[in-house]
Amino acid sequence: MTNSSRLFLIVALSAASLVTEAAPPTNKNLPFPQEESDLKPDPAAHFGTLPNGLRYVVRANQEPKGRASLRLLVLAGSIHEKDDQRGLAHFLEHMAFNGSTHYPPGTLVEFFQRIGMSFGADTNANTSFDRTVYRLDLAHADDVAVAEALQVFGDYAGGLLLIDEEINKERGVVLSETRASDSAGYRSFVARFEATLGTTLFPRRLPLGLPEVITKAQRERFSDFWNAWYRPEKMVVVVVGDFPDAGKVEKMVAETFAPLTARTPARPEPSLGKVAKLQGVRAIFHAEPEAPATNISLTNITPYAREADTAARKIKHLPRLLALAMLNRRFSILSKKEGAPFVSGGASISEQFNFLREANVNISCKADDWVAALGLGEQELRRALEHGFTPAELTEATANLANQLDQAAKTASTRHSNRLADEIVHRLVVGEVVTTPADDLALLRPALDKITPSDCQSALKDAFAASGRFVMVSGNAKISGDASATIAAAYGKAHAVAVAKMKGDEQSKWGYTDFGAPGEIAKREHVADLDIELMTFKNGVRLNLKKTDFEAGRIALSARFGNGVMTEPGDQRGLQRLAAITMNAGGLGKHSADDLRRLLAGKNVGWRFGEGADAFRFSGSTTRDDLLFELQALAAQLTDPGYRPEVLRVAHKQFEQLYQSFKHTTAGPFEMEVANLLADGDPRFGFPAQEVLMARNLEEVKAWLIPQLAHGPLEVALVGDFDAAAIAAAAKTIGALPQRQAKPSLPDLKKVKFPERPFTISYVIDSEIPKASVLVYWPTEDGLDAHRTRRVNMVGEILNDRLRVKVREEIGSSYSPRADNLASDTFPGYGYIVANIEVDPAMTGQISEVVIKLADDLAKNGVTDDELNRARLPLLTSFRESLRTNGYWLSVLTPAQEKPQMLDWARDRIADNEAITTSELNALAKKYLPRERASRVTILPAGKPK
């Protein structure tokens, strides 16, 4: 089970301490969850509370080697704001980077860069309704680095300067983040929040706040919030990393934070209001014409009474988790059926903000199908509530959850510190004990076997037991007249239809175990310095292996086959888009995608199809026990893919939503026009017109892919915790396939070029949301010369940092300006640097000029040694860490025999980047970035802001 899956499981089993009335003043030490629980906390974690009330958790952890992750949790967020502070909890998070006792304004980000940390990836923060979390992922876990990081947190907690000049400079950045978040989806979320929780504080305390507060609030309002809520008893410091002595780190935490004192008397926790006691149905309509779809939600909300995190509570919530898995499985199956009136649907249940429980069914559909989709959602939920689930459904759901628990325990020893730190923070926020995966498995696995379909039905009934229900239709549906009455009538009509019990599923047997006589190895080579095995079977299939201990119990796999999307027929534009959906949703010849989910329940088996310029790719992840099954599935994908009618239905629904979004977002002109323009009109690049893509069919997909699947060149890589049985499993599957063809060179298909002359072009989209995109392009070179590409990449990183300083920090016009070098390793000579900035529409001309001027200055005056070091050191940190990840080595090994230079690139990647000089970068900047080589694209909204 991946760390993200484990975190999902934790969230799903969570039941935080929730109340509906104002809490007493927080002037006493808060307990750790284990202090009121029978659950045993992780023995590797050191828990402590300082005399001032600040709590800490310190845990040694070996991955990544030599690194540490720190978190400062402040149990205060937007709900703690006053009316004239709306948005300042989030704004204050920004100000933590803009001047403190030990770090003058404008120095902190560059300080991080100089010690090998990147802004955003390694240093970040986030603010929610009830918390603010600061993140530091250190390049090193030595005493000096940890002490420095704790000092940074100490400044956040007690040493912010909050200088007027810095506040004023940051206002634009905060507003740009608000603008970046603005969308039809966000506006629908706000409307839903107001409709369902309008009797509470939450709709009036959205973390992004109010523009008028962000633009006008004075320093005193910031300091008032900081002094009142950044108090030691409301803070937790979490330190997880590869350090030898956790006790020493505990002492460092105490030395840093023991002097911290509350700067004002404690205030009572805010009164959150009361959850509305709804009777019957409340229908709501919120129109967002720019939305790509219509969304329907059926919501039950009830107050939630506090529950301590105990063994009994965790076991109690298992049936609910299984019920959700089974109900969501039903929605997935229904979405593929002919005539299904919706694109996707699902159910969720959560306890939130120490206040409420929310049970939801959410459905996405076309605008014209909302009545039928609403009916289906209501009836499927009611079918589960009235008739429950089948034994076969429960068997599948139980197997999957048991496997998640088992994999979490097996992989626990190689969890990464950043994810473990985030998990600890989450558990503390929701009031859960920080347990070990092994203890979770020992507690929950036996309980799973005792759960019945009736238990799951009862758990679902309990969650949806409220006397009233919110029924909301939002998005691009058009409902004339009294929309609420129309929605209520549609719901009533659906509710009047009787629902029958779900029929049991037909069980099938895995149909792909024999691919012929096991293949023999024709060639084998051990690459000693990289500890890699390269072999070729007699049928021409190549297999590349690297055994690692980076992820305990896990094996990452990848397969490259055929010649990729560069072979897409010129008169069948968009075929690659349909092919991707076909291969991912079509299942196999003997088993549909839904059959496969039943057959693979409880197994770590699955492949994901992806398109590359010069090869198609399958990627997957498995374990030793399931490796043979995984390779059988790969061989089946290659020899007997499913081209099922439901795939075309699924694809058309997805394409319709996609093109609808293209009409109203900056992605539309980019995907449909700019991507093609950058390749000088090559039809293989970018999306075609909607009617062209919708005309593609499965016969065209089959004609294009079958020859490449059946006979095209095939190279497979395995990286991870496998044993000697891996080669035998490969021989029985991919080694037994029919003979593969050699890779053709196809030089005519590799002719792609950037437009010969610079261009300036503007697009206007049908949108009233006030945000625009500025893109600037400079043609460079391909990525076939790694030595050169690394240096052009570094030029891009330095330009990116200059954009951060100028556009974000000085002008304050964009939250996340970005520059990248995109260099093709397929098309000789093809590559470009691109700057992409989202801005206020009124500033597009100014920002476009600023970007070009920054690049031109780089071309004329070059880079400084400090700029090079600040760009290079964070990259080197990430490169070194990648050497202990299966994902990195999989990217090296997958094409290693077709492209043996990949092994050389892996050998010298760090040393070559360390050797980069300013003179090399100056020459490249002078060659690529002069003003006269820049091409400009501007994408503007047509309407006035709402």
Side-chain angles (χ1 to χ4, degrees):
M1 175 177 171
T2 64
N3 287 301
S4 59
S5 297
R6 174 167 160 74
L7 189 56
F8 167 78
L9 179 62
I10 292 166
V11 173
L13 291 172
S14 293
S17 170
L18 306 178
V19 294
T20 59
E21 299 299 328
T26 55
N27 54 4
K28 63 179 182 178
N29 296 350
L30 295 174
F32 283 104
Q34 61 264 28
E35 295 174 33
E36 52 182 7
S37 173
D38 57 354
L39 295 169
K40 181 179 69 175
D42 182 352
H46 295 229
F47 299 87
T49 304
L50 301 181
N52 60 8
L54 182 140
R55 294 178 292 165
Y56 64 82
V57 183
V58 176
R59 190 190 192 282
N61 189 63
Q62 65 181 9
E63 294 292 346
K65 296 292 185 184
R67 297 195 69 180
S69 292
L70 290 83
R71 305 289 184 264
L72 174 63
L73 166 64
V74 183
L75 291 169
S78 59
I79 60 171
H80 295 87
E81 298 165 346
K82 297 179 180 178
D83 284 342
D84 62 354
Q85 293 175 321
R86 293 179 63 178
L88 296 196
H90 170 238
F91 200 147
L92 190 63
E93 166 215 310
H94 281 242
M95 292 309 301
F97 293 84
N98 286 287
S100 61
T101 301
H102 296 94
Y103 305 95
T107 65
L108 189 58
V109 171
E110 294 185 0
F111 164 75
F112 287 140
Q113 291 172 333
R114 292 187 185 104
I115 61 172
M117 298 166 62
S118 63
F119 179 59
D122 298 323
T123 64
N124 216 323
N126 63 80
T127 304
S128 184
F129 289 92
D130 57 351
R131 80 208 71 163
T132 305
V133 182
Y134 295 90
R135 303 173 62 252
L136 292 176
D137 293 322
L138 305 183
H140 308 285
D142 57 81
D143 292 349
V144 173
V146 173
E148 188 83 52
L150 291 173
Q151 179 173 272
V152 171
F153 280 174
D155 273 15
Y156 293 169
L160 296 187
L161 300 180
L162 300 177
I163 299 170
D164 286 332
E165 180 183 357
E166 296 300 316
I167 290 173
N168 291 333
K169 284 172 58 178
E170 195 69 16
R171 295 187 199 274
V173 178
V174 177
L175 288 172
S176 70
E177 185 176 358
T178 301
R179 183 173 54 249
S181 301
D182 194 3
S183 66
Y186 179 73
R187 294 181 180 190
S188 293
F189 159 75
V190 172
R192 181 174 178 273
F193 223 48
E194 177 62 44
T196 57
L197 295 175
T199 58
T200 74
L201 182 64
F202 293 103
R204 297 183 297 281
R205 290 296 183 269
L206 296 171
L208 290 177
L210 298 177
E212 55 266 32
V213 174
I214 294 167
T215 55
K216 296 177 181 179
Q218 298 303 300
R219 181 185 188 278
E220 183 274 331
R221 305 315 296 141
F222 289 84
S223 60
D224 176 82
F225 184 91
W226 181 58
N227 289 331
W229 300 111
Y230 277 51
R231 335 174 39 84
E233 70 270 19
K234 290 186 72 65
M235 294 182 183
V236 186
V237 175
V238 177
V239 187
V240 182
D242 187 24
F243 38 76
D245 187 350
K248 187 174 184 179
V249 176
E250 285 188 85
K251 292 179 181 178
M252 294 166 67
V253 172
E255 290 171 359
T256 303
F257 290 96
L260 183 67
T261 59
R263 295 176 292 277
T264 62
R267 293 179 184 174
E269 288 290 310
S271 174
L272 303 180
K274 293 185 178 180
V275 173
K277 294 183 178 180
L278 188 66
Q279 298 292 327
V281 172
R282 181 182 172 191
I284 308 138
F285 177 58
H286 176 74
E288 283 293 341
E290 297 181 24
T294 291
N295 291 293
I296 298 158
S297 61
L298 312 177
T299 307
N300 290 65
I301 297 178
T302 53
Y304 180 72
R306 185 182 190 279
E307 291 181 277
D309 185 32
T310 63
R313 172 195 155 277
K314 285 188 178 295
I315 292 172
K316 182 183 75 172
H317 281 289
L318 284 175
R320 187 177 82 180
L321 190 59
L322 294 170
L324 287 173
M326 292 184 282
L327 182 54
N328 288 333
R329 181 83 165 87
R330 290 183 181 181
F331 280 119
S332 176
I333 293 171
L334 286 170
S335 70
K336 304 181 187 72
K337 291 189 177 297
E338 186 173 3
F342 72 110
V343 178
S344 61
S348 63
I349 302 167
S350 61
E351 286 80 33
Q352 301 177 32
F353 310 124
N354 293 339
F355 188 64
L356 59 90
R357 172 184 287 148
E358 184 176 46
N360 280 305
V361 167
N362 293 286
I363 304 287
S364 177
C365 64
K366 291 173 60 176
D368 294 340
D369 292 338
W370 74 265
V371 173
L374 170 60
L376 182 143
E378 190 280 334
Q379 289 161 14
E380 284 308 311
L381 172 61
R382 186 155 44 88
R383 191 189 316 278
L385 293 172
E386 291 182 4
H387 300 293
F389 303 96
T390 68
E393 287 178 308
L394 181 57
T395 297
E396 177 184 331
T398 301
N400 286 329
L401 182 52
N403 182 57
Q404 290 181 20
L405 291 166
D406 184 57
Q407 290 304 306
K410 289 180 177 177
T411 60
S413 63
T414 51
R415 287 178 291 178
H416 277 210
S417 294
N418 60 341
R419 295 176 182 174
L420 186 52
D422 289 337
E423 181 182 313
I424 291 171
V425 166
H426 168 77
R427 285 189 176 230
L428 292 175
V429 168
V430 302
E432 284 203 328
V433 181
V434 179
T435 54
T436 67
D439 285 346
D440 292 343
L441 176 65
L443 172 68
L444 300 176
R445 183 64 188 87
L448 281 176
D449 293 332
K450 301 176 183 178
I451 295 172
T452 67
S454 179
D455 294 331
C456 298
Q457 181 184 7
S458 296
L460 197 67
K461 283 182 176 181
D462 181 65
F464 282 92
S467 59
R469 178 170 294 168
F470 296 95
V471 179
M472 184 169 182
V473 177
S474 63
N476 61 0
K478 297 178 181 179
I479 307 177
S480 58
D482 188 341
S484 295
T486 302
I487 294 169
Y491 181 87
K493 185 176 180 180
H495 188 72
V497 176
V499 291
K501 186 176 181 179
M502 176 67 69
K503 295 180 180 179
D505 296 322
E506 293 184 7
Q507 300 300 303
S508 56
K509 183 179 180 181
W510 177 242
Y512 298 96
T513 58
D514 186 3
F515 297 92
E520 297 180 22
I521 297 173
K523 179 183 176 182
R524 184 168 183 171
E525 174 188 3
H526 179 68
V527 182
D529 64 323
L530 299 178
D531 194 19
I532 288 169
E533 291 284 337
L534 306 177
M535 58 190 70
T536 304
F537 289 100
K538 286 186 176 181
N539 63 354
V541 173
R542 293 163 166 170
L543 177 64
N544 308 323
L545 306 171
K546 182 174 177 65
K547 184 174 173 59
T548 72
D549 59 0
F550 310 149
E551 298 177 38
R554 300 302 300 179
I555 305 170
L557 305 90
S558 182
R560 276 170 55 93
F561 73 92
N563 304 300
V565 298
M566 69 177 179
T567 63
E568 180 186 67
D571 61 348
Q572 296 177 13
R573 282 200 74 190
L575 189 61
Q576 57 185 283
R577 317 292 176 180
L578 178 57
I581 295 177
T582 300
M583 296 304 297
N584 283 316
L588 299 170
K590 297 178 182 179
H591 309 299
S592 70
D594 291 315
D595 291 336
L596 289 174
R597 289 185 63 171
R598 283 189 288 271
L599 285 165
L600 302 179
K603 295 184 179 297
N604 302 282
V605 176
W607 289 94
R608 188 76 184 168
F609 176 84
E611 320 102 289
D614 64 341
F616 298 104
R617 179 170 174 165
F618 287 110
S619 55
S621 177
T622 190
T623 63
R624 287 187 185 183
D625 290 343
D626 292 326
L627 177 58
L628 177 59
F629 212 139
E630 177 82 351
L631 289 171
Q632 288 173 345
L634 172 60
Q637 290 274 15
L638 293 163
T639 58
D640 191 26
Y643 301 97
R644 300 174 184 279
E646 62 261 30
V647 170
L648 203 57
R649 295 194 290 268
V650 169
H652 282 176
K653 290 178 182 178
Q654 293 182 8
F655 293 153
E656 286 168 351
Q657 285 196 0
L658 182 66
Y659 279 95
Q660 186 68 21
S661 73
F662 282 171
K663 295 177 183 178
H664 306 294
T665 64
T666 57
F670 178 82
E671 295 289 357
M672 296 186 65
E673 301 285 347
V674 179
N676 185 252
L677 174 62
L678 295 175
D680 204 30
D682 190 311
R684 297 170 295 180
F685 290 75
F687 277 78
Q690 182 174 354
E691 62 271 15
V692 174
L693 181 51
M694 298 292 273
R696 302 281 69 82
N697 58 67
L698 294 181
E699 291 305 314
E700 292 172 335
V701 172
K702 292 166 67 175
W704 185 39
L705 287 188
I706 284 178
Q708 301 189 66
L709 286 161
H711 303 292
L714 174 63
E715 190 162 359
V716 180
L718 278 69
V719 178
D721 191 7
F722 55 80
D723 56 19
I727 297 176
K732 295 176 183 177
T733 53
I734 56 174
L737 296 176
Q739 189 71 32
R740 314 302 290 193
Q741 299 170 345
K743 185 89 169 183
S745 59
L746 304 175
D748 290 341
L749 296 181
K750 295 180 180 179
K751 294 178 180 179
V752 176
K753 62 186 180 72
F754 199 87
E756 291 184 6
R757 295 182 179 180
F759 55 85
T760 298
I761 189 167
S762 293
Y763 300 93
V764 177
I765 57 174
D766 181 13
S767 177
E768 293 184 348
I769 294 174
K771 57 183 176 183
S773 287
V774 169
L775 302 105
V776 183
Y777 299 89
W778 299 264
T780 55
E781 304 284 350
D782 58 54
L784 298 171
D785 180 340
H787 179 83
R788 178 187 64 208
T789 300
R790 289 164 181 155
R791 284 148 180 80
V792 182
N793 286 343
M794 199 68 72
V795 171
E797 287 294 328
I798 290 170
L799 177 59
N800 181 67
D801 198 54
R802 290 194 178 187
L803 289 173
R804 173 188 63 82
V805 173
K806 186 69 176 180
V807 177
R808 177 185 164 117
E809 296 183 1
E810 292 186 18
I811 302 176
S813 62
S814 181
Y815 175 64
S816 55
R818 182 69 205 172
D820 293 286
N821 176 45
L822 303 177
S824 172
D825 62 359
T826 299
F827 305 112
Y830 189 63
Y832 53 83
I833 289 175
V834 56
N836 189 346
I837 306 171
E838 190 173 86
V839 297
D840 185 323
M843 297 189 70
T844 54
Q846 176 188 347
I847 296 303
S848 179
E849 178 58 28
V850 166
V851 172
I852 291 174
K853 186 176 181 180
L854 284 174
D856 193 57
D857 179 73
L858 195 56
K860 290 177 178 176
N861 300 312
V863 305
T864 67
D865 289 337
D866 183 55
E867 281 183 311
L868 171 56
N869 283 329
R870 288 191 293 105
R872 174 168 47 197
L873 291 175
L875 287 177
L876 291 174
T877 297
S878 65
F879 291 165
R880 292 188 180 103
E881 181 175 333
S882 72
L883 294 175
R884 288 189 58 79
T885 63
N886 288 344
Y888 168 71
W889 286 108
L890 196 67
S891 70
V892 172
L893 258 67
T894 305
Q897 294 192 58
E898 178 191 336
K899 301 178 179 182
Q901 66 270 24
M902 293 292 293
L903 301 184
D904 290 330
W905 295 356
R907 290 184 176 102
D908 70 358
R909 182 174 62 144
I910 291 177
D912 192 31
N913 275 280
E914 289 176 329
I916 293 174
T917 65
T918 55
S919 60
E920 291 175 312
L921 301 187
N922 291 343
L924 291 169
K926 183 176 181 180
K927 179 179 181 182
Y928 298 134
L929 295 180
R931 169 182 291 273
E932 60 271 16
R933 301 187 78 251
S935 294
R936 313 184 191 203
V937 173
T938 303
I939 307 175
L940 290 157
K944 295 180 180 180
K946 292 182 179 178

